[in-house]
């Protein structure tokens, strides 16, 4: 199985279509600023919690590296239609898009 890379400007259409946003950064990074609506599931905790990631989810990290690792890992386990946000929250923010702070999506 494989996953699809998304540019930040493609994320809104997938979000409107109901895609889950999964931020795989550590909790302190997530609290400091994340894409609105993203749920935190750190890459370090992903083994054993794979069932929490639905098919069609968009995986997000700071730069796109950890989220691509997560997408590859989950795809190899058979998770369908996963997407990786290229450039992560850094690219999202560089485009002038908002971030949310705190523990809540």
């Amino acid at each position: 199985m494989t996953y699809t890379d998304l540019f930040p400007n493609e994320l809104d259409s997938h979000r409107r279509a109901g895609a889950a946003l999964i931020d795989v950064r550590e909790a302190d990074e997530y609290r400091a600023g994340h894409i609105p609506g993203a749920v935190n599931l750190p890459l370090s905790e992903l083994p054993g919690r794979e069932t929490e990631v639905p098919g069609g989810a968009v995986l997000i990290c700071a730069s796109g590296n950890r989220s691509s690792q997560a997408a590859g890992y989950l795809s190899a386990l058979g998770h369908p239609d996963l997407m990786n946000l290229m450039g992560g929250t850094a690219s999202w923010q560089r485009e002038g898009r908002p971030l949310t702070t705190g523990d809540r999506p």
Side-chain angles (χ1 to χ4, degrees):
M1 308 238 33
T2 60
Y3 61 89
T4 303
D5 285 323
L6 293 180
F7 289 105
N9 64 351
E10 298 174 294
L11 183 58
D12 285 334
S13 65
H14 290 280
R15 189 167 35 181
R16 282 191 301 273
L21 306 182
I22 309 293
D23 190 320
V24 298
R25 296 176 300 154
E26 294 301 316
D28 60 328
E29 296 173 280
Y30 175 84
R31 283 190 300 270
H34 57 274
I35 294 173
V39 174
N40 189 221
L41 175 53
L43 181 61
S44 63
E45 297 177 17
L46 189 55
R49 295 180 65 188
E50 300 90 346
T51 59
E52 295 178 39
V53 180
V58 178
L59 299 161
I60 303 164
C61 69
S63 67
N65 291 327
R66 285 178 281 180
S67 55
S68 68
Q69 290 174 21
Y73 170 73
L74 292 166
S75 291
L77 294 176
H79 279 66
D81 306 319
L82 295 175
M83 295 166 273
N84 171 54
L85 183 64
M86 293 190 302
T89 54
S91 287
W92 177 265
Q93 193 172 26
R94 270 194 303 275
E95 290 188 4
R97 297 171 184 270
L99 294 180
T100 299
T101 59
D103 290 325
R104 301 226 178 243

